[in-house]
């Protein structure tokens, strides 16, 4: 008779990693793989690989856990499950150490429980702390940056700026075009007006996001009336989180025993932060340091385990301030207290969260704005109606065949990429290429990135726009697959292979300054073709035209957050290639990663 976990492995219902971890736990526990503890280890490893931080025993008790209807994958009843775990030497309680840890009804890998504790402590210890400020000077600065507007009861950017300037921990969240970067520049200026010696670091989870952050700050600071002395003090460098923490491939230079030398850290694209990296960040910060997180809480969560920004901001809950906090912000901003949402029972963490609600890119009548709202509200039928509307030239719908990508999608890509391939100068070509993109929900299969890149390349070659399909060729669009600090190229960077001289091909990348950097092809780190890219890779980017491709039979890999993220990459036009039922199902599915952090921070 087959063993329980062996059978699940043979049926590809658990990964080899989950199986090996369960075998290790069974051996350490002196039991076989049919034990409840070994089953728990396999489930915990499997869920962790999919992004969950822990197992909520109450949710899984007596349920099928591995997408099978056989008894092989059914969890025990809650009381039986807890009893077996508490009897195991491989399961610790808080304050103890073991490979796994049971905290009430949540089972963790021990290190993930520690990560969650470290993030909780790093945030909560900062909530009651306020930096020393000159309130009168801050009020004056806020009034200078945010002149009174009669039509708007609450200037959300002003509120966010006041909150960030007076808090040791603050989240500024908002959708595309709501002014996160503009608000950040004003926050930094207000902080530097208070303390010109303030040591500020800018960082982001990826090199691409870090570069875009600095590029946006440089572009927009000239639009604001900043004093020259303040402009000169603004940070002129950005870091990946790995580089900020001094990661050398083996260990981190900065940690609890060797903290970073800074007074304020700003993290952009915070929705991409996973739990382990967030914990390492807080462990490396001096206790007095201010933390400002920027991001869109409705976007996709991190690739690795955790949904940190979602946990901090209550997973879409309304942000309501405690009366004392509302009164303090009102005095600083002169926003009427009654115009601020208030509830004395609101958790303290809410007082540190600012939502930017006014989009300057998508008006209330914008079709992309309406589509994004319909998706966030889980209204798939409304989203479909917007896409299929004949009176709507902004958005288009391509009904997906069952087994392949519709030819119209490839034609869409070939038409839009033709423009950059007709350019003579690489700077013009890079600018043209940045205007459109094909986004995929998955990497593999007939609707994945790899297949789409092959189909688009074949179409461009057939039309005569690309002459060769060797390893590298003129006009090839490339995307970096990993960070390479030696070359200065980062995971997600996009460039073009271009003939810079009659017999010379080089890899060319746009610089934040507007110039183009060209590298020998042999200096390129790991890369892939970039006509199509995953929605995950597109985070932080914007394109005039977007074609988003959803596979018809991958509902478990689609979600409201993925749809929203893909749609909001488009500035002007969005085309969706999908089946009716796939879109509706994706809108209905909201990602819920299992974690205890949200509850630890006071959200019910």
């Amino acid at each position: 008779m087959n063993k329980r976990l062996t059978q699940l492995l043979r049926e590809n219902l658990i990964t080899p990693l989950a199986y090996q971890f369960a075998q290790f736990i069974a051996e350490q526990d002196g039991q076989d793989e049919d034990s409840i503890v070994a089953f728990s280890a396999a489930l915990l490893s499997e869920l962790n690989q999919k992004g969950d931080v822990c197992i909520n025993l109450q949710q899984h008790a007596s349920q099928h856990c591995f997408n099978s209807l056989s008894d092989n994958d059914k969890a025990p009843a809650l009381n039986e499950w807890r009893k077996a775990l508490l009897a195991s030497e491989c399961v610790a309680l808080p304050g103890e150490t073991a490979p796994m840890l049971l905290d009430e009804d949540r089972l963790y890998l021990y290190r993930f429980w520690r990560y969650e504790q470290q993030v909780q402590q790093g945030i909560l210890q900062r909530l009651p702390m306020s930096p020393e400020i000159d309130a009168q000077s801050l009020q004056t600065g806020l009034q200078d940056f945010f002149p009174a507007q009669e039509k708007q009861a609450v200037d959300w950017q002003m509120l966010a700026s006041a909150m960030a300037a007076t808090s040791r921990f603050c989240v500024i969240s908002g959708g595309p075009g709501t002014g996160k970067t503009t608000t950040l520049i004003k926050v930094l200026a207000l902080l530097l007006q208070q303390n010109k010696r303030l040591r500020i670091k800018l960082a982001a989870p990826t090199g691409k996001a870090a570069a875009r952050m600095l590029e946006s700050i440089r572009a927009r600071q000239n639009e604001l009336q900043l004093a020259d002395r303040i402009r000169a003090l603004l940070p002129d460098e950005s870091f990946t989180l790995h580089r900020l923490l001094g990661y050398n491939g083996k260990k981190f230079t900065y940690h609890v025993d060797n903290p970073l030398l800074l007074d304020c850290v700003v993290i952009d694209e915070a929705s991409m932060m996973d739990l382990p990296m967030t914990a390492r960040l807080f462990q490396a910060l001096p206790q007095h340091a201010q933390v400002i997180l920027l991001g869109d809480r409705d976007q996709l969560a991190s690739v690795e385990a955790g949904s940190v920004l979602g946990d901090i901001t209550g997973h879409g809950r309304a942000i309501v301030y405690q009366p004392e906090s509302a009164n303090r912000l009102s005095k600083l901003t002169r926003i009427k207290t009654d115009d601020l949402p208030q509830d004395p029972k609101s958790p303290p963490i809410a007082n540190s969260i600012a939502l930017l609600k006014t989009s300057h890119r998508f008006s209330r009548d914008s079709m992309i704005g309406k589509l994004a709202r319909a998706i966030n509200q889980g209204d798939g039928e409304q989203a479909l109606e917007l896409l299929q509307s004949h009176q709507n030239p902004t958005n288009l719908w391509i009904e997906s065949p069952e087994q392949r990508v519709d030819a119209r999608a490839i034609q869409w890509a070939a038409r839009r990429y033709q423009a950059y391939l007709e350019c003579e100068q690489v700077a013009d070509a890079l600018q043209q290429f940045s205007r459109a993109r094909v986004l995929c929900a998955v990497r593999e299969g007939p609707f994945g990135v790899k297949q789409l890149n092959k189909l688009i390349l074949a179409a461009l070659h057939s039309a005569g726009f690309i002459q060769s399909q060797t390893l590298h060729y003129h006009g090839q669009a490339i995307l970096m697959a990993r960070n390479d600090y030696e070359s200065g190229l980062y995971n997600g960077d996009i460039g073009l292979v271009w003939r810079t001289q009659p017999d010379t091909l080089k890899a060319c990348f746009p610089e934040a300054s507007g110039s183009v950097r060209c590298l020998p092809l042999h200096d390129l780190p790991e890369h892939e073709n970039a006509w199509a890219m995953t929605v995950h890779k597109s985070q932080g980017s914007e394109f005039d035209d977007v074609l988003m491709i959803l596979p018809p039979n991958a509902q478990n890999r689609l979600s409201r957050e993925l749809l929203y993220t893909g749609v909001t990459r488009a500035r002007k036009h969005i085309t969706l290639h999908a089946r009716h039922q796939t879109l509706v199902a994706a809108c209905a599915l909201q990602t819920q990663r299992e974690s205890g952090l949200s509850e630890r921070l006071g959200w019910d």
Side-chain angles (χ1 to χ4, degrees):
M1 182 175 179
N2 285 328
K3 294 288 188 179
R4 182 184 197 181
L5 296 181
T6 300
Q7 186 63 30
L8 289 172
L9 179 65
R10 287 175 178 170
E11 295 174 4
N12 292 319
L13 295 174
I14 61 174
T15 62
L17 178 61
Y19 178 79
Q20 291 297 330
F21 180 64
Q23 290 288 318
F24 167 77
I25 292 296
E27 184 178 315
Q28 296 297 310
D29 212 34
Q31 301 187 45
D32 64 25
E33 67 176 57
D34 283 334
S35 72
I36 291 176
V37 176
F39 174 88
S40 303
L43 178 59
L44 183 55
S45 176
E46 195 71 20
L47 291 178
N48 183 255
Q49 292 175 65
K50 293 177 180 178
D52 290 324
V53 173
C54 59
I55 300 174
N56 187 322
L57 301 187
Q58 291 190 32
Q59 291 183 7
H60 288 275
S62 303
Q63 302 296 314
H64 292 283
C65 298
F66 296 107
N67 297 319
S68 167
L69 296 179
S70 72
D71 288 339
N72 273 342
D73 82 338
K74 196 170 185 180
L78 181 60
N79 289 338
E80 179 187 4
W81 202 352
R82 284 183 55 83
K83 184 177 179 181
L85 291 172
L86 290 170
S88 170
E89 293 185 359
C90 291
V91 180
L93 293 173
E96 304 170 348
T97 304
M100 298 185 291
L101 185 141
L102 185 63
D103 190 344
E104 296 184 350
D105 284 333
R106 289 191 174 96
L107 181 67
Y108 294 81
L109 293 172
Y110 177 80
R111 63 189 179 95
F112 277 86
W113 179 82
R114 285 290 299 141
Y115 292 147
E116 201 168 89
Q117 291 279 311
Q118 289 163 353
V119 174
Q120 173 199 0
Q121 292 165 5
I123 293 173
L124 293 184
Q125 74 178 13
R126 285 175 166 79
L127 294 189
M129 301 165 60
S130 294
E132 295 181 6
I133 61 165
D134 180 334
Q136 184 60 52
S137 173
L138 179 59
Q139 282 181 329
T140 301
L142 286 167
Q143 297 303 321
D144 288 343
F145 281 136
F146 301 97
Q149 299 181 25
E150 295 180 3
K151 295 181 180 179
Q152 191 176 15
V154 177
D155 187 328
W156 298 105
Q157 290 188 20
M158 185 182 195
L159 187 76
S161 299
M163 185 183 295
T166 58
S167 305
R168 293 289 184 193
F169 177 80
C170 179
V171 175
I172 300 175
S173 175
T178 52
K180 294 187 291 293
T181 302
T182 300
T183 303
L184 173 61
I185 296 170
K186 294 176 181 180
V187 168
L188 297 180
L190 292 168
L191 290 173
L192 290 167
Q193 286 173 357
Q194 295 281 326
N195 179 4
K196 65 180 181 181
R197 293 186 177 86
L198 197 71
R199 297 169 298 179
I200 302 170
K201 297 289 186 183
L202 307 177
T206 67
K208 176 185 172 185
R212 278 190 61 86
M213 179 189 195
L214 190 60
E215 179 184 346
S216 297
I217 289 175
R218 286 173 174 169
R220 292 189 182 137
Q221 65 175 287
N222 294 325
E223 301 169 7
L224 303 175
Q225 295 181 346
L226 299 179
D228 289 342
R229 63 181 181 83
I230 297 298
R231 193 188 304 274
L233 295 172
L234 288 174
D236 59 0
E237 187 177 13
S238 60
F239 302 82
T240 63
L241 285 171
H242 281 88
R243 184 171 165 230
L244 178 71
L245 299 179
Y247 185 64
N248 62 9
K250 295 181 180 179
K251 62 181 181 179
F252 292 87
T253 301
Y254 298 101
H255 42 72
V256 67
D257 295 320
N258 184 35
L260 289 157
L261 297 175
L262 55 77
D263 304 305
C264 176
V265 63
V266 179
I267 311 297
D268 198 11
E269 296 294 347
S271 63
M272 300 167 68
M273 290 175 64
D274 58 55
L275 181 66
M277 182 54 72
T278 309
R280 291 187 179 101
L281 172 67
F282 276 108
Q283 286 289 287
L285 293 176
Q287 288 192 357
H288 74 277
Q290 288 178 257
V291 179
I292 301 172
L293 304 183
L294 272 72
D296 185 345
R297 67 172 182 168
D298 295 322
Q299 278 194 25
L300 281 165
S302 58
V303 175
E304 304 299 330
S307 180
V308 175
L309 188 65
D311 286 339
I312 293 171
T313 58
H315 293 287
R317 291 179 178 87
I319 301 301
V320 181
Y321 304 114
Q322 294 176 338
E324 182 181 351
S325 180
N327 288 331
R328 177 177 60 84
L329 291 169
S330 175
K331 289 178 181 178
L332 286 170
T333 61
R334 299 178 188 170
I335 296 171
K336 293 180 180 179
T337 307
D338 291 345
D339 289 332
L340 298 176
Q342 298 176 55
D343 186 342
K345 296 181 181 179
S346 186
I349 186 68
N351 298 323
S352 296
I353 300 168
L355 300 183
L356 303 182
K357 303 181 181 183
T358 305
S359 176
H360 303 283
R361 185 191 306 170
F362 305 131
S363 67
R364 295 297 298 180
D365 296 328
S366 159
M367 295 303 291
I368 295 179
K370 287 181 179 179
L371 181 59
R373 287 192 294 274
I375 292 169
N376 267 342
Q377 292 164 6
D379 193 341
E381 295 293 346
Q382 173 66 13
L384 183 67
E385 183 180 331
L386 288 166
L387 285 160
Q388 292 181 324
S389 171
H390 293 296
Q391 299 168 341
N392 168 24
T394 302
N395 307 312
L396 296 172
W397 173 264
I398 299 177
E399 182 70 28
S400 171
E402 187 68 34
Q403 301 296 332
R404 59 179 175 79
V405 173
D406 191 288
R408 289 174 293 172
I410 307 305
Q411 293 165 4
W412 182 101
R415 283 196 303 270
R416 281 154 182 81
Y417 293 146
Q418 174 184 344
Y420 90 83
L421 290 165
E422 292 177 335
C423 292
E424 293 185 5
Q425 301 299 321
V426 67
D428 297 332
L430 286 164
Q431 187 176 31
Q432 283 288 343
F433 182 67
S434 69
R435 291 178 177 173
R437 197 70 80 245
V438 177
L439 302 182
C440 299
V442 295
R443 287 191 58 81
E444 307 293 340
F447 299 88
V449 165
K450 291 183 179 179
Q451 178 65 8
L452 262 294
N453 275 316
K454 288 180 182 178
L455 293 172
I456 294 168
L457 173 57
L460 293 172
H461 183 263
S462 176
F465 295 118
I466 285 181
Q467 302 302 321
S468 172
Q469 296 187 51
T470 54
L471 178 62
H472 291 115
Y473 40 87
H474 178 77
Q476 182 182 13
I478 52 175
L479 179 146
M480 298 302 103
R482 63 177 177 82
N483 294 334
D484 186 86
Y485 295 109
E486 186 173 339
S487 66
L489 294 174
Y490 303 103
N491 185 5
D493 282 353
I494 292 175
L496 296 174
V497 175
W498 207 257
R499 187 172 290 106
T500 55
Q501 296 177 13
D503 58 349
T504 304
L505 289 175
K506 288 195 174 182
C508 303
F509 297 85
E511 298 271 63
S513 63
S515 61
V516 176
R517 184 160 64 109
C518 296
L519 302 173
L521 294 176
H522 59 74
D523 286 347
L524 280 179
E526 182 183 346
H527 59 279
E528 58 193 48
N529 286 342
W531 294 288
M533 60 195 297
T534 62
V535 176
H536 269 99
K537 287 278 190 180
S538 75
Q539 284 182 273
S541 298
E542 300 170 2
F543 313 99
D544 288 345
D545 286 10
V546 167
L547 167 63
M548 189 175 178
I549 301 207
L550 303 183
N553 299 312
Q555 279 82 350
N556 62 330
R557 285 177 286 179
L558 304 180
S559 67
R560 183 182 305 176
E561 292 83 0
L562 183 139
L563 269 180
Y564 169 83
T565 302
V567 164
T568 54
R569 297 312 90 204
R571 283 186 289 249
K572 297 179 180 178
H573 307 285
I574 177 72
T575 300
L576 201 63
H577 178 291
R579 296 181 73 81
H580 178 158
Q581 60 269 31
T582 304
L583 174 66
V584 173
C587 285
L589 180 60
Q590 192 168 15
T591 302
Q592 293 182 330
R593 290 185 169 180
E594 293 188 9
S595 161
L597 181 60
S598 183
E599 187 176 306
R600 294 182 195 279
L601 294 175
W603 296 106
D604 294 332

